[in-house]
Amino acid sequence: MLEKVIILDFGSQYTQLIARRVRELQIYCEIHPCNNPPAFTENVKAVILSGSPYSVNDENALQFELETVVDKFPVLGVCYGAQYISAKLGGRVESSNIREYGKATLKVTKKEDQLFEAISDDSQIWMSHGDSILDIPDSFEIVATTDSIPVAAFRSKTNAYDKPVYCIQFHPEVSHSLEGSTLLKNFLVNIAGCSQDWTPAHFIETTVGELKSQIGSDKVVMGLSGGVDSTVAATLLQRAIGDQLTCIFVDNGLLRKGEFEEVLDSYKGMGLNIIGVDAKDAFLDELEGVSDPEKKRKIIGRVFIEVFEAEANKLDNIKWLGQGTIYPDVIESVSVHGPSATIKSHHNVGGLPERLALKIVEPLRTLFKDEVRVIGTELGISKDIIGRHPFPGPGLAIRILGPISREKIRLCQDADAIYINQLKDQGLYDKVWQAGAILLPVQSVGVMGDERTYEFTLALRCVNSVDGMTADWSKLPHSFLETVSTEIINQVKGINRVVYDISTKPPATIEWE
């Protein structure tokens, strides 16, 4: 049975980051809302309580029955988790004038403790809390302080509980805690006894076995997008069930220039049983003249379902729909705060399982985006696909601001192709997270060949990120931007001005719509 660490989410913005740090240690973990915890089975090796935007003294503070885990598993409370343990087990937590936000220096008072093995004296940590622990429970002892607060870390006394309980008022998961990963490893490996055996090869072997058992001799249909997630998911399914899997790749007319043919050839070269569907006219006829970005997304989603359903109905005895759902999608659907505010609707295959009366299979639902790429590499998927930049489901429809037309799609595709090819030619493509061209609903005056022009403006967007949740604009060389701008203006008739977007996320988003 797979060992696991359970992370109980109390609403912290850093909870996913805790999970990523644990996974980097080759230890499998799962995030669960504190108000909807899992069954704590014998394969649970440790439990981590996350931070929270709440105060433990708030009326609406999130609650959890500590006796479920304390004395049964090694427990680590992080920030709010530490304060919650203190408050519930007899300590005292109060708001005070002594608050810590930002960098601090850890002063270890119990240097022999396993939690601090290989941790430097005066190690830099990251604090983010308004409440302070003024008194710890009688069954605990302080093991570290800072210059500002007397309780930075504390632990249960020897023999107080069958399993140790550690509490820290700082965030080891953020990069500003310079030895945070070492501390997490000390807790999980040295103290909790985790094996560090959750490797890509282990994941593939386990997942393929589970898929064989889950699906049996049934048939599966899956829509492919050319992106990393759906490709890796399809490859895992193929490993498990072979020709029982049929893939459908739909050309909606909004892909990058030449992408439908290139991706289709790549998939066939991988041995996937794939059907390519040219549905450009079905999408573009309905999108003609549409300006509102939400309306664009809804049209694309509806037409995709109609096209996919028509193709799937041509197949016999299909019982399952494969999807490339990844872990952040799963976590966000069970947030402790309920459904988050909708910034923009996402293009997916929502509604298809019900319309086709299919069960869902999601091989990647436990993986983060960067882990999907690692698994894809282990599976032998080509670097061209694994290294592909994220591309929005609605495609160029949301990179053409204002009304959609076939001519604007041509302009955007041609300009985007020049931009992406130059990134590749100059060795920059793999150094950035995502790049694309955005056609603006703005025309401006220009002069070309002694003639006055009145043509469109194109914005270039390029960002660096880890997971797309935050992003910084990429500092591309001025000489590169000059080359791209000149080539686009000279070669793409209809564009006479190119600008570069230098906005970060937040407050901007990566895509413009």
Side-chain angles (χ1 to χ4, degrees), residues 44-299:
V44 173
K45 297 292 288 184
V47 178
I48 299 175
L49 277 58
S50 83
S52 176
Y54 293 99
S55 163
V56 296
N57 298 316
D58 286 349
E59 248 181 67
N60 299 320
L62 293 164
Q63 303 292 320
F64 172 72
E65 298 297 330
L66 280 180
E67 58 268 25
T68 308
V69 296
V70 169
D71 215 22
K72 298 178 177 64
F73 306 96
V75 173
L76 175 66
V78 176
C79 202
Y80 177 94
Q83 295 163 0
Y84 189 80
I85 289 171
S86 180
K88 291 297 180 182
L89 297 182
R92 184 163 60 102
V93 180
E94 291 184 4
S95 297
S96 70
N97 295 324
I98 303 173
R99 301 186 178 193
E100 286 198 323
Y101 294 98
K103 297 174 184 176
T105 300
L106 191 67
K107 307 289 186 182
V108 178
T109 57
K110 296 277 187 180
K111 295 186 178 180
E112 71 280 4
D113 196 290
Q114 285 181 293
L115 188 67
F116 303 112
E117 184 177 322
I119 299 289
S120 309
D121 292 336
D122 300 330
S123 183
Q124 177 182 298
I125 55 175
W126 181 262
M127 294 284 196
S128 180
H129 62 92
D131 290 352
S132 288
I133 298 169
L134 301 184
D135 295 310
I136 63 173
D138 291 340
S139 54
F140 285 73
E141 60 184 343
I142 295 171
V143 292
T145 67
T146 71
D147 291 333
S148 301
I149 58 172
V151 183
F154 57 105
R155 61 151 294 162
S156 56
K157 292 178 181 176
T158 305
N159 301 324
Y161 300 107
D162 285 343
K163 303 291 184 180
V165 180
Y166 281 84
C167 300
I168 54 178
Q169 282 229 86
F170 55 92
H171 289 274
E173 68 274 18
V174 302
S175 59
H176 302 300
S177 290
L178 299 183
E179 296 175 296
S181 291
T182 301
L183 186 142
L184 287 172
K185 180 181 178 182
N186 288 342
F187 173 73
L188 293 171
V189 178
N190 299 347
I191 295 168
C194 295
S195 300
Q196 292 186 280
D197 61 356
W198 195 67
T199 62
H202 180 274
F203 172 85
I204 292 168
E205 181 183 356
T206 302
T207 301
V208 167
E210 289 172 350
L211 290 171
K212 285 179 179 178
S213 176
Q214 181 182 13
I215 297 167
S217 59
D218 292 346
K219 292 184 178 181
V220 180
V221 65
M222 181 169 183
L224 296 185
S225 66
V228 177
D229 299 341
S230 65
T231 303
V232 174
T235 304
L236 284 167
L237 281 165
Q238 184 199 39
R239 286 270 182 105
I241 61 171
D243 288 342
Q244 293 165 234
L245 171 68
T246 300
C247 300
I248 297 173
F249 182 35
V250 177
D251 184 359
N252 59 11
L254 301 161
L255 302 173
R256 284 186 154 128
K257 186 174 183 179
E259 187 169 31
F260 180 67
E261 294 77 15
E262 291 171 11
V263 172
L264 202 57
D265 285 344
S266 297
Y267 282 149
K268 288 177 179 176
M270 293 166 60
L272 288 172
N273 180 20
I274 186 163
I275 298 168
V277 182
D278 182 352
K280 289 192 287 290
D281 288 340
F283 285 89
L284 301 186
D285 287 348
E286 295 229 20
L287 286 167
E288 184 74 30
V290 175
S291 299
D292 180 74
E294 278 300 293
K295 190 173 180 183
K296 291 176 186 177
R297 290 174 183 272
K298 287 173 181 174
I299 289 171

Side-chain angles (χ1 to χ4, degrees), residues 250-255 279-280 282-284 286-288 290 292-308 345-350 352 392-400 404 409 513:
V250 177
D251 184 359
N252 59 11
L254 301 161
L255 302 173
K280 289 192 287 290
F283 285 89
L284 301 186
E286 295 229 20
L287 286 167
E288 184 74 30
V290 175
D292 180 74
E294 278 300 293
K295 190 173 180 183
K296 291 176 186 177
R297 290 174 183 272
K298 287 173 181 174
I299 289 171
I300 292 165
R302 174 177 56 78
V303 176
F304 177 82
I305 288 174
E306 291 169 359
V307 171
F308 191 93
S345 62
H346 289 270
H347 172 58
N348 53 36
V349 292
L352 269 174
L396 298 182
I398 58 166
R399 291 185 177 176
I400 297 169
I404 297 286
I409 292 170
E513 288 190 341

